[in-house]
Amino acid sequence: MKNTRTLPDIVDHHAEPFVALADTIWAMPEICYTEHRSAAEHEAMARAGGFRVTTGIAGIPTALMAEAGEGGPVIAILGEYDALPGLSQEAGVAQYRPVEAGGHGHGCGHNLLGSAALLAATAVKQWLEEQGLPGRVRYYGCPAEEGGAAKTFMVRAGAFDDVDIALCWHPHCFTEVTPPHSLANTRMDFSFTGRASHAAAFPHLGRSALDAVELMSVGVNYMREHMPSDARIHYAVLDTGGVAPNVVQAHARVRYSIRATDLPGMVELVERVKKVAEGAALMTETRVEASIVSAVSNLLGNTPLETAMNDVLTKLGGVSFDDEDRAFAAAIRKSLSDNDIASAFKGVGLERNDDVLFEGVVPQASPRQLMMGSTDVGDVSWAVPTVQAHAALFAIGTPFHSWQLVAQGKSPAAHKGMVFVAKAMAMVAERALSEPALITAAKQDLDRRRGGHAYQCPMPPDVAPPLTMSLK
């Protein structure tokens, strides 16, 4: 007789060590492509759970794939474990208190993201074994989501070629099917080379690379008036050419993040920004070299999978919190602005109330005000039918990439949310493995959205993973 345990039961049975894994990853925050200890912890957990593990996916030392099962459809569950620079913060305190001045922190909750994904994969693995069904579940450990575009390189390397559907999630203040909207994004470095000179005695002999960086900034700022209102361009100066003002700076480097709602729009903006850089070089009689650091596609939705995920979330009914969870969330809320809280409710299209934690499921038809960023899950969604969920773990209004989010990363509320969403992903995987028609419909929907065109990677073939990329 087949075992009658449900997937939520199996998730609950395995939850404790994965909650511990999330806390372990929280305590060793590692940024873009340096997640060696975090990846090793996930690898060890997967091997201990009986998965077949492959490391070094796409030539990335901190990317891995753990597979279980035989034959049948292939279900991918995506995890992440990278942190952010400059967000060090003690856990469980509602005031800014860094663990290490200038240190890193899990300001986007990826310590929870990867752990919940591996928990879901572990539950599906056991369910397949108990049911005696064909099918494979894969956990993909994906580093460098924060600016490194690791999934883009993994897709380009063929890591998802035989995957039937992909599931993912992200920590949030609300529980919902993630709206399938994001901005395509290219990160480019513009390196200017001029000529050094004594800035007082021989200024006429110098050609300032820093001047070129500043003129490029002026040019791009004027360009903003004449580009789509939903596009975004940001920059950070990585190298000012030195600290001596009496030396004309011979070298300077600036990184631009260029975003648009789709790939063609992004490509057009990239070319325009490159022209501005060339103009700045012409004005300063310097030379400029442009190089792509990373690039990601915009997200593609998938109606059959989004419907399936919404059905599961509704059936589970949202995350349940207790009075202690609400008390800590209320303390965190005192550090938030009124605009933080109002924007959170507006973002999901709900009327503002006094709740500090969200315990329901946001209706799919809710009139959201989308505030889009970029994610390398977008490239997976172009290659494979993909769906994501948001799960409520944090005080409503908590900004992403903030010390407040880091402070809540080991809280009991966060643990409850990650276990909840592991159940949701496992249940969608169960439905896909049990109902071949869902996978067929998902693939047809993807073909329709791509307009019959195959995925085209936005990353040039000669661009390798920036394993030593500078974030300074």
Side-chain angles (χ1 to χ4, degrees), residues 287-320:
R287 292 182 291 107
V288 63
E289 293 184 4
S291 58
I292 292 177
V293 177
S294 64
V296 300
S297 302
N298 55 296
L299 278 166
L300 283 186
N302 194 280
T303 300
L305 292 182
E306 289 158 15
T307 300
M309 179 65 79
N310 188 66
D311 290 346
V312 166
L313 294 175
T314 303
K315 182 177 181 179
L316 290 172
V319 186
S320 296

Side-chain angles (χ1 to χ4, degrees), residues 201-342:
F202 303 102
H204 58 289
L205 299 180
R207 299 294 181 267
S208 173
L210 183 57
D211 284 356
V213 166
E214 293 185 291
L215 284 167
M216 181 180 177
S217 175
V218 172
V220 172
N221 283 338
Y222 276 105
M223 190 182 111
R224 295 178 200 277
E225 183 183 353
H226 306 286
M227 68 185 205
S229 60
D230 51 9
R232 299 286 186 271
I233 301 179
H234 332 277
Y235 71 99
V237 179
L238 304 184
D239 178 8
T240 60
V243 296
N246 62 335
V247 177
V248 175
Q249 296 89 345
H251 302 280
R253 179 163 61 105
V254 61
R255 177 167 296 166
Y256 272 81
S257 178
I258 305 162
R259 311 184 198 231
T261 55
D262 56 30
L263 285 172
M266 181 191 72
V267 170
E268 179 181 346
L269 277 182
V270 165
E271 293 305 312
R272 293 177 67 187
V273 171
K274 287 166 69 175
K275 289 178 181 177
V276 172
E278 291 162 3
L282 182 64
M283 284 188 285
T284 54
E285 296 185 89
T286 59
R287 292 182 291 107
V288 63
E289 293 184 4
S291 58
I292 292 177
V293 177
S294 64
V296 300
S297 302
N298 55 296
L299 278 166
L300 283 186
N302 194 280
T303 300
L305 292 182
E306 289 158 15
T307 300
M309 179 65 79
N310 188 66
D311 290 346
V312 166
L313 294 175
T314 303
K315 182 177 181 179
L316 290 172
V319 186
S320 296
F321 301 107
D322 60 28
D323 289 343
E324 289 187 9
D325 299 327
R326 284 183 278 272
F328 182 47
I332 287 288
R333 192 163 193 165
K334 291 179 181 178
S335 71
L336 306 178
S337 71
D338 186 73
N339 191 47
D340 289 330
I341 299 164

